Amino acid sequence: MMILTRRAVAALAFAAALATPISASAADKVKFGLLRVPQAVFVGIEKGFFAAQGIEVEPVFFRSGAELVPSLSTGQIDLAATSPGAAIYNALGQGVSAKIVADYYVLTPDQPGGDPNAIVVRKDLLDSGKFKTPADAKGMTMAITARGQVTDLAGGLFLRKAGLTEKDVRVVTMPYPDMLAALQGKSIDVAVAIDPQITIAEQQGIAKRYLKLSELMPGLNLGVVMYGERLAQKDRDLGMRFMAAYHESNAYERRRLLEPGGREEIGKIFQKYFPIQNPALYDTVGLGLGRETLMVDVDGAFGLHWQLQQYQERGLILAAPDLSKVVDNSFAKAAAKAKEAR
């Protein structure tokens, strides 16, 4: 006869609580701030994973990650999905009450959804031989979305690996959709771009993927989930239940993208929330996913410490946060353990 310790009993009870569907009458509504990009939360909404945990998710869309954290700190939204750029680190360093609790978008070469991000080069430059190696970017114009964002880090690292600096190129900033027109008009030569613009550029013969960001910065947390006070402190049970459903959503998407008919199903879900002119693009574009555990990488080669240091070296950080205090992986860890226990 096996005798369980109190700690083991408590762990099993917690796992059972997360696994037990909650009555719809007890549903908790949470406002989830995010940018208009496909991600696993919409899969979870459509598949009923959040409803099973007694949670109603209300997506609240923002134009930039810099707008998300102020709304999170004032309680206008309960949690957010955003890129950990300089604005986020500055807000956390200045005492904004929020925690980074999970990843939702990690750059790894073997992701089931592929890699939506890449350094792209104009096709005519590649075809003519004017661009053969990264060193050939010297004297050319490179587009990023903004300073203090992952495209800034990627562009800088791409140049350094080629023995170049930003002084060797002309760096311009523009939104992702504008990059397609700029490449077509030949006003830029290189861009740190994202799907579906990359796939469209390749289909139209405008530009080609030169280097995937998952190859340039493997393991980088491109997107993180952040909890405000309500989920991180005041109602940790709700925070745990949300993470359990989010973990299930991410796992379902990862699995289905590798199964027959799975990408079509996921594409239809995203088309419902993010309609694009040609829905068939969802069959081919890269789709960002979190790692299996959703655990945030802090100290890895391209972890949050590395990102923070890069922004500091660029003079973009006014007050650096203590990452040991603002990153809380306990929610993702509990969700992963509960899934293993089922």
Side-chain angles (χ1 to χ4, degrees):
M1 179 178 178
M2 182 175 65
I3 298 176
L4 298 177
T5 65
R6 289 183 178 179
R7 180 174 296 180
V9 171
L12 288 173
F14 175 70
L18 287 182
T20 304
I22 298 176
S23 170
S25 62
D28 291 293
K29 187 172 184 177
V30 297
K31 294 185 177 181
F32 191 2
L34 68 165
L35 307 183
R36 290 188 177 275
V37 294
Q39 63 131 301
V41 69
F42 300 103
V43 175
I45 292 172
E46 290 300 306
K47 301 305 296 185
F49 300 140
F50 292 100
Q53 291 291 341
I55 298 173
E56 178 187 348
V57 180
E58 178 187 343
V60 181
F61 295 107
F62 289 78
R63 291 176 299 177
S64 71
E67 298 175 349
L68 283 165
V69 175
S71 295
L72 188 62
S73 66
T74 58
Q76 292 176 287
I77 55 176
D78 300 300
L79 68 157
T82 185
S83 176
I88 303 302
Y89 290 117
N90 276 320
L92 292 171
Q94 292 167 6
V96 166
S97 183
K99 298 283 188 182
I100 296 174
V101 296
D103 74 46
Y104 81 86
Y105 195 165
V106 63
L107 297 176
T108 56
D110 58 348
Q111 280 283 39
D115 186 352
N117 310 268
I119 306 289
V120 301
V121 179
R122 279 188 8 228
K123 185 175 181 296
D124 62 296
L125 296 175
L126 293 169
D127 291 347
S128 67
K130 290 183 179 179
F131 196 107
K132 294 180 180 178
T133 72
D136 293 325
K138 186 173 184 178
M140 294 185 176
T141 299
M142 180 175 69
I144 62 175
T145 55
R147 292 296 185 183
Q149 295 294 324
V150 68
T151 55
D152 187 13
L153 298 187
L157 183 59
F158 179 71
L159 294 174
R160 290 200 301 275
K161 285 183 174 290
L164 304 175
T165 70
E166 289 191 3
K167 294 181 180 180
D168 294 310
V169 299
R170 176 173 172 259
V171 178
V172 297
T173 62
M174 64 182 66
Y176 283 125
D178 293 351
M179 293 180 185
L180 184 61
L183 287 164
Q184 186 172 28
K186 299 184 179 181
S187 59
I188 62 173
D189 308 299
V190 182
V192 187
I194 194 170
D195 266 330
Q197 282 79 27
I198 297 176
T199 297
I200 294 172
E202 290 185 323
Q203 289 178 349
Q204 296 181 358
I206 296 170
K208 290 183 178 179
R209 284 177 174 84
Y210 185 82
L211 179 65
K212 295 178 180 179
L213 295 200
S214 57
E215 297 169 339
L216 180 65
M217 302 183 291
L220 182 132
N221 284 127
L222 186 57
V224 296
V225 176
M226 300 179 69
Y227 278 0
E229 283 191 3
R230 181 188 175 196
L231 273 65
Q233 299 176 28
K234 295 179 179 178
D235 193 347
R236 283 185 64 88
D237 173 70
L238 177 57
M240 288 291 183
R241 284 190 282 124
F242 181 92
M243 192 59 65
Y246 196 80
H247 190 282
E248 192 72 24
S249 306
N250 183 67
Y252 183 86
E253 184 180 350
R254 289 178 63 91
R255 182 176 71 253
R256 288 295 286 142
L257 287 174
L258 296 176
E259 296 173 344
R263 182 172 270 271
E264 181 181 2
E265 178 194 3
I266 300 301
K268 286 181 178 178
I269 291 174
F270 290 150
Q271 178 67 8
K272 177 178 177 179
Y273 290 90
F274 309 101
I276 54 179
Q277 189 173 2
N278 180 11
L281 283 174
Y282 279 121
D283 295 336
T284 55
V285 298
L287 296 172
L289 288 162
R291 54 174 51 89
E292 288 186 73
T293 63
L294 293 182
M295 300 276 285
V296 180
D297 177 22
V298 177
D299 299 313
F302 296 102
L304 296 191
H305 268 134
W306 178 82
Q307 296 182 47
L308 177 59
Q309 182 180 20
Q310 297 302 305
Y311 293 131
Q312 286 178 304
E313 291 177 357
R314 285 167 167 73
L316 299 174
I317 301 298
L318 302 176
D322 182 345
L323 293 180
S324 67
K325 295 180 179 179
V326 300
V327 177
D328 183 355
N329 271 318
S330 65
F331 295 93
K333 186 180 294 184
K337 287 185 177 179
K339 184 174 178 61
E340 290 176 3
R342 293 201 294 272

